């Protein structure tokens, strides 16, 4: 693009050069945008073709099911409090699955992240394999592990808990090790000089530095895991998702119980999201920080 | 403050810290104990199905060939995994089976079985077992001595488990399973002329088109269907993520304090985001699949709805953090409002937005697998189908490997795209 390197370019040359460059850049952006638009349109067309019911027939019925559910819930609104009480234990189970999985996953991730961080790992050759292991754990969707475990262990909350915990190890392990990389190594060296074991160096030298960030990430994971736990219930792993599938299968005229479960799940997700985002803001910005709803 | 007071304050603070370091693990332990009791983890040992585990593990690395003799009409058939798709054509058999009136089956280590009206099993180091199935059951004779534990004999059924093989005799049927390592018929099924050929033979044959079409239409592994299912899953993630980003961008402006002075409008936009996120992908999937039926469109729209809420929140926060100076600079050149947005705002937020969207592309590939398993579509559907049959565990392993590779590929692709598109800002926020 520097065509006039041997002679001093005149202002008009610079101007035409600049405009040509701009035109080229715009052309490139236009082409990229066009490709993107074509991909989107073609993609939606393909998806529509492959779907059992097409979009153009379906969108008119999109409110049928919600209308049924809301209508039936409204008709038998006096029964809803009873249903809330009835399904509260299931909701608790869903939350417990997420809670236990997050705790177990976070504790394993803590150890794994230390092993995967340069400068903290007790042996250098450990770093690469641990990182690959975390990558794999992160890549496996929870449902895959859960379905296999349901086959082995039977239905119930334990397969879901293990499945979510394993995915959590992968997800948090990576985030934790990113946090570890920013931790100061001086306390670790200090502890090493007094003869502290690796475990002591990590627990006393690193963890206090990174604990707020860890906690913040773990809380975010907990929010995600509640949703995952509800979904896994739907494929047979207990909790409120399992009840939801059962009540849905009873069909029309019985949707009031499904409505109660929808409401419970919605309320649980919103409340946990709010609580955890308040806590996370405190952790990362101190108490004075006003809730701006920061994502991370 | 006196020294004493300072010391006292320090002591109190230390005591509190000490209490906390002891209390936190205790609380965690108490909670986990409660959960383990509530989930009946102790009773898990009774519920765990060891035979299922054995099937799963052995199926993953090996397969079996069934040699079956129908004892009523004397017909003998050979089929891989006992499936019709893996049946050897009438009158043909692998080289370790000699078909005749009394079929001879050679097993590894010098053992062999003859299948006829009377079945004999020569086991080196033990002796010959003879069994004649008839009206009154299975009359079996064993070598003298105690019957070992790998032989299970009753009046109507004799089962012998030997090294790498298994023989079952009942009144109606005599069946030999021989186990082999690997995944059966992965490349070509038995009806393909290319079955059993080596790579060099295939390469030198020159019939690449026929080879490819035989591989691609493999009835056992359905490579074409699997590839299409993977594509469908990626398509769901792609359409859902970018569709949501396109809807969330204008809505994000509505929810940002510095672009929408009208409080009520801002409040409404934010509640819409909260609602979309709070209802959650599971419920959106259920609602949408009622209207559109199973398939990739339902999955795409479910991802799109959930992520519109997430992106709306992220985008509006990014918009609230834009630097006003750039917008003022653009305005000072006489730019109209639309131009101010185009040149003052968009360049500032593009890196943040793009890196978030690309990050979600990878996570949505996983969501698309899960949604596919719930509504039916993509690789998630194939996986659940394979698990429900409870016998094609080698296919389950195959799909799991493919899913892991797909997610990892999407992860590296989105990372690569992020670096290409956001030069200079490095890795992005995640």
């Amino acid at each position: 693009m520097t065509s006039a390197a041997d002679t001093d370019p005149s202002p008009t040359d610079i101007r035409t050069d600049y405009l040509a460059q701009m035109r080229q850049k715009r052309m490139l952006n236009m082409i990229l945008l066009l490709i993107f638009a074509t991909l989107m349109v073609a993609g939606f067309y393909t998806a529509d073709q492959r779907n059992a019911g097409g979009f153009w027939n379906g969108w008119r019925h999109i409110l049928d099911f919600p209308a049924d559910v809301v209508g039936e819930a409204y008709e038998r609104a006096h029964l809803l409090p009873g249903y809330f009480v009835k399904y509260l234990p299931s909701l608790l189970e869903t939350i417990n699955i997420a809670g236990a999985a997050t705790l177990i996953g976070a504790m394993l991730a803590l150890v794994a992240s230390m092993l995967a961080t340069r400068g903290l790992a007790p042996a250098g050759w450990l770093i690469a394999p641990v990182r690959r292991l975390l990558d794999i754990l992160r890549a496996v969707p929870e449902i895959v592990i859960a379905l296999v475990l349901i086959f082995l262990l039977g239905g119930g909350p334990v397969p879901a808990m293990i499945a979510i915990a394993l995915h959590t190890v992968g997800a948090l392990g990576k985030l934790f090790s990113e946090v570890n990389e920013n931790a100061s190594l001086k306390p670790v060296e200090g502890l090493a000089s007094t003869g502290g074991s690796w475990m002591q160096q990590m627990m006393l030298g690193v963890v206090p530095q990174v604990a707020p960030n860890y906690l913040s990430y773990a809380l975010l994971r907990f929010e995600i895991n509640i949703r995952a736990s509800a979904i896994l219930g739907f494929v047979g792993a207990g909790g409120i998702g399992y009840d939801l599938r059962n009540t849905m299968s009873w069909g029309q005229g019985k949707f009031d119980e499904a409505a109660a479960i929808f409401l419970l799940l919605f309320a649980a997700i919103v409340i946990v999201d709010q609580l955890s985002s308040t806590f996370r803001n405190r952790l990362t910005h101190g108490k004075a920080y006003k809730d701006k709803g920061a994502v991370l | 403050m006196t020294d004493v007071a300072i010391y006292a304050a320090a002591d109190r603070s230390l005591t509190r810290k000490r209490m906390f370091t002891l209390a936190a693990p205790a609380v965690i332990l108490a909670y986990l104990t409660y959960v383990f009791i509530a989930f009946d983890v102790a009773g898990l040992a009774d519920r765990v199905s060891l035979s299922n585990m054995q099937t799963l593990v052995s199926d993953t690395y090996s397969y079996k060939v069934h040699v079956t003799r129908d004892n009523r009409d004397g017909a003998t058939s050979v089929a891989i995994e006992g499936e019709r798709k893996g049946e050897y054509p009438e009158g043909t058999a692998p080289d370790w089976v000699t078909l005749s009136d009394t079929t001879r089956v050679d097993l590894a280590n010098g053992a062999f079985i003859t299948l006829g009206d009377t079945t004999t099993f020569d086991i080196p180091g033990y002796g010959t077992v003879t069994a004649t199935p008839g009206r009154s059951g299975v009359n079996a004779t064993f070598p003298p001595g105690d019957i070992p534990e790998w032989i299970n004999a009753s009046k109507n059924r004799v089962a012998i488990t030997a090294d790498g093989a298994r023989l079952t005799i009942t009144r109606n049927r005599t069946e030999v399973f021989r186990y082999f390592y690997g995944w059966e018929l992965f490349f070509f099924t038995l009806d393909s002329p290319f079955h059993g050929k080596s790579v060099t033979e295939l390469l030198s044959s020159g019939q690449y088109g026929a080879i490819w079409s035989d591989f691609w239409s493999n009835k056992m592994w359905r490579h074409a269907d699997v590839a299409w299912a993977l594509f469908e899953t990626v398509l769901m993630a792609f359409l859902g993520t970018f569709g949501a980003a396109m809807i969330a961008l204008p809505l994000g402006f509505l929810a940002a304090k510095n672009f929408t002075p009208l409080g009520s409008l801002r409040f409404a936009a934010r509640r819409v985001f909260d609602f979309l996120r709070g209802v959650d992908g599971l419920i959106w999937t259920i609602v949408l699949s009622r209207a559109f039926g199973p398939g990739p469109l339902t999955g795409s729209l479910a991802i799109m709805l959930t992520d519109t809420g997430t992106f709306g929140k992220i985008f509006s926060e990014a918009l609230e953090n834009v630097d006003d100076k750039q917008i003022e600079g653009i305005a000072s050149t006489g730019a109209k409002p639309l131009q101010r947005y185009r040149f003052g705002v968009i360049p500032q937020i593009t890196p943040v937005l793009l890196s978030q969207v690309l990050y979600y592309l990878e996570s949505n590939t996983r969501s698309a697998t899960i949604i596919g398993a719930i509504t039916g579509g993509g690789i998630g559907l194939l996986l659940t189908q394979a698990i429900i049959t409870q016998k094609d565990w080698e296919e389950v392993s195959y799909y799991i490997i493919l899913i892991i590779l797909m997610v990892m590929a999407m992860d590296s692709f989105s990372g690569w795209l992020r670096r290409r598109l956001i030069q200079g800002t490095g890795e992005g926020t995640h």
Side-chain angles (χ1 to χ4, degrees):
Chain A
M1 281 175 216
T2 50
S3 54
D6 41 354
T7 56
D8 274 344
S10 70
T12 38
D13 281 349
I14 293 176
R15 188 165 185 270
T16 42
D17 268 6
Y18 174 75
L19 284 177
Q21 211 176 325
M22 280 310 287
R23 257 200 305 280
Q24 204 180 6
K25 206 176 158 192
R26 274 206 195 139
M27 271 294 275
L28 210 67
N29 280 344
M30 265 325 261
I31 291 169
L32 274 179
L33 206 67
L34 226 82
I35 292 173
F36 176 72
T38 321
L39 276 177
M40 286 299 283
V41 172
F44 269 115
Y45 181 76
T46 318
D48 191 35
Q49 292 294 307
R50 294 283 300 182
N51 219 60
F55 180 77
W56 304 110
N57 295 320
W59 72 273
R60 272 179 264 116
H61 302 289
I62 202 162
L63 287 177
D64 288 2
F65 176 62
D68 278 355
V69 172
V70 172
E72 286 177 27
Y74 185 72
E75 256 173 51
R76 293 189 283 280
H78 59 283
L79 293 173
L80 284 184
Y83 293 146
F84 288 148
V85 175
K86 182 178 169 191
Y87 289 112
L88 203 61
S90 304
L91 181 67
L92 199 65
E93 187 169 73
T94 294
I95 294 174
N96 276 339
I97 291 172
T102 313
L103 265 179
I104 297 171
M107 289 191 289
L108 291 176
L110 177 89
V111 179
S113 75
M114 304 286 179
L115 297 177
T117 313
R118 225 168 275 118
L120 298 182
W125 56 267
L126 265 171
I127 295 172
V130 171
R131 283 194 179 175
R132 287 297 85 72
L133 181 70
L134 290 178
D135 285 346
I136 291 172
L137 286 175
R138 210 150 24 90
V140 193
E142 293 104 337
I143 206 164
V144 172
I145 306 172
L147 284 172
V148 172
L149 285 177
I150 287 172
F151 174 67
L152 297 179
L153 308 177
V158 179
M161 184 182 77
I162 299 174
I164 298 176
L166 285 178
H167 184 77
T168 303
V169 175
L172 285 183
K174 186 188 179 216
L175 291 172
F176 284 4
S177 88
E178 277 167 15
V179 175
N180 290 346
E181 271 165 13
N182 295 324
S184 161
L185 287 176
K186 292 212 175 90
V188 179
E189 284 159 14
L191 283 161
S193 71
T194 63
S197 71
W198 181 77
M199 204 65 192
Q200 286 168 329
Q201 291 172 32
M202 294 303 120
M203 291 312 287
L204 302 170
V206 181
V207 171
Q209 295 185 55
V210 291
N213 284 326
Y214 275 18
L215 215 55
S216 162
Y217 281 135
L219 279 171
L220 189 73
R221 235 323 112 177
F222 179 55
E223 289 175 38
I224 297 169
N225 282 349
I226 284 194
R227 292 153 188 258
S229 155
I231 287 181
L232 290 187
F234 205 77
V235 296
I240 198 133
Y242 186 66
D243 288 331
L244 180 61
R245 192 180 60 178
N246 286 342
T247 49
M248 295 261 309
S249 65
W250 293 338
Q252 219 154 8
K254 289 271 189 184
F255 282 144
D256 46 341
E257 295 202 24
I261 294 177
F262 278 137
L263 282 174
L264 270 180
L265 191 59
F266 179 68
I269 288 174
V270 170
I271 290 171
V272 170
D273 275 17
Q274 286 301 326
L275 283 179
S276 120
S277 101
T278 317
F279 270 120
R280 279 186 290 126
N281 278 330
R282 275 200 192 179
L283 283 170
T284 42
H285 300 282
K287 278 179 189 148
Y289 186 83
K290 276 219 217 78
D291 180 21
K292 277 185 74 181
V295 173
L296 279 180
Chain B
M1 248 200 286
T2 61
D3 284 356
V4 182
I6 292 171
Y7 280 133
D11 275 347
R12 267 200 306 280
S13 161
L14 273 177
T15 318
R16 207 182 312 135
K17 281 241 163 74
R18 231 176 249 160
M19 286 290 283
F20 183 74
T21 45
L22 284 178
V27 169
I28 290 175
L29 199 68
Y31 177 70
L32 284 181
T33 316
Y34 151 69
V35 167
F36 276 43
I37 291 168
F39 289 178
D40 191 21
V41 174
L44 208 61
D46 307 328
R47 277 177 283 146
V48 58
S49 159
L50 284 175
S51 69
N52 281 358
M53 201 173 287
Q54 217 168 10
T55 325
L56 189 148
V57 173
S58 70
D59 239 22
T60 300
Y61 67 83
S62 67
Y63 69 96
K64 58 187 189 297
V65 180
H66 299 212
V67 183
T68 313
R69 181 180 188 272
D70 192 320
N71 287 336
R72 283 163 304 188
D73 58 10
T76 306
S77 66
V78 185
I80 292 173
E81 287 284 356
E83 286 184 50
R84 172 159 289 172
K85 285 175 287 189
E87 208 168 316
Y88 279 83
E90 188 84 42
T92 61
D95 52 11
W96 47 275
V97 177
T98 323
L99 290 173
S100 68
D101 286 342
T102 50
T103 300
R104 187 188 148 98
V105 181
D106 274 303
L107 304 174
N109 313 328
F112 66 87
I113 298 171
T114 54
L115 297 171
D117 288 333
T118 299
T119 299
T120 61
F121 191 172
D122 275 354
I123 307 162
Y126 177 63
T128 305
V129 178
T130 322
T132 316
R135 277 174 166 275
S136 57
V138 181
N139 304 309
T141 52
F142 299 96
D146 288 338
I147 293 177
E149 59 174 15
W150 40 269
I151 294 180
N152 187 338
S154 69
K155 189 166 165 291
N156 290 318
R157 187 171 178 276
V158 175
I160 303 172
T161 312
D163 197 15
R166 189 180 158 85
L167 171 70
T168 321
I169 309 164
T170 60
R171 215 144 52 117
N172 294 335
R173 209 155 41 164
T174 307
E175 208 164 22
V176 180
F177 297 165
R178 188 174 167 190
Y179 292 87
F180 293 92
Y181 290 112
W183 288 349
E184 77 283 2
L185 309 177
F186 184 75
F187 294 103
F188 304 106
T189 41
L190 292 170
D191 53 6
S192 161
F194 305 109
H195 174 74
K197 294 255 170 67
S198 71
V199 179
T200 41
E201 276 178 301
L202 288 177
L203 282 177
S204 58
S205 74
Q207 296 166 289
Y208 301 120
I211 292 173
W212 174 255
S213 85
D214 272 12
F215 166 74
W216 201 236
S217 60
N218 183 327
K219 283 199 286 291
M220 206 87 160
W221 290 85
R222 300 188 297 158
H223 295 295
D225 291 348
V226 173
W228 181 259
L230 284 173
F231 170 73
E232 247 179 33
T233 306
V234 173
L235 184 71
M236 279 193 248
F238 171 78
L239 293 178
T241 315
F242 286 101
M246 276 156 53
I247 298 173
L249 188 60
L251 289 176
F253 277 97
L254 279 185
K257 212 178 281 171
N258 43 349
F259 292 96
T260 307
L262 201 60
S264 51
L265 205 60
R266 210 164 60 220
F267 181 81
R270 286 192 180 174
R271 290 298 84 78
V272 168
F273 296 152
D274 286 348
F275 179 73
L276 288 175
R277 272 170 351 108
V279 169
D280 190 37
L282 171 64
I283 298 173
W284 287 126
T285 309
I286 294 169
V287 170
L288 290 171
S289 69
R290 290 265 164 165
F292 300 122
L297 183 74
T298 310
S300 311
L301 293 176
I303 294 176
M304 206 161 100
L305 278 176
T306 322
D307 277 5
T308 301
T310 317
F311 286 158
K313 192 170 178 229
I314 297 174
F315 288 3
S316 66
E317 277 155 16
L319 284 168
E320 282 180 355
N321 290 330
V322 292
D323 189 357
D324 287 336
K325 291 205 187 82
Q326 293 192 29
I327 306 173
E328 281 163 21
I330 299 283
S332 73
T333 64
K336 294 184 184 66
L338 204 64
Q339 289 168 321
R340 273 181 239 162
Y341 282 122
R342 168 66 186 83
F343 296 103
V345 180
I346 297 286
Q348 284 194 57
I349 55 167
T350 313
V352 184
L353 265 49
L354 224 49
S355 94
Q356 288 288 347
V357 169
L358 289 173
Y359 169 74
Y360 271 87
L361 184 63
E362 181 259 342
S363 125
N364 279 339
T365 315
R366 263 181 285 117
S367 306
T369 313
I370 294 173
I371 288 174
I374 296 172
T375 62
I379 193 79
L381 176 68
L382 290 187
L383 181 76
T384 42
Q385 280 175 346
I387 288 179
I388 285 167
T389 63
Q390 304 219 337
K391 60 189 178 62
D392 295 325
W393 290 102
E394 68 282 354
E395 278 176 34
V396 174
S397 323
Y398 177 51
Y399 296 149
I400 291 177
I401 293 169
L402 285 179
I403 289 170
I404 295 176
L405 290 179
M406 172 183 71
V407 176
M408 285 181 150
M410 286 301 277
D411 194 16
S412 356
F413 170 72
S414 73
W416 172 81
L417 207 60
R418 199 157 47 197
R419 281 190 297 276
R420 282 303 300 271
L421 292 175
I422 316 163
Q423 279 151 349
T425 51
E427 275 278 293
T429 48
H430 281 275

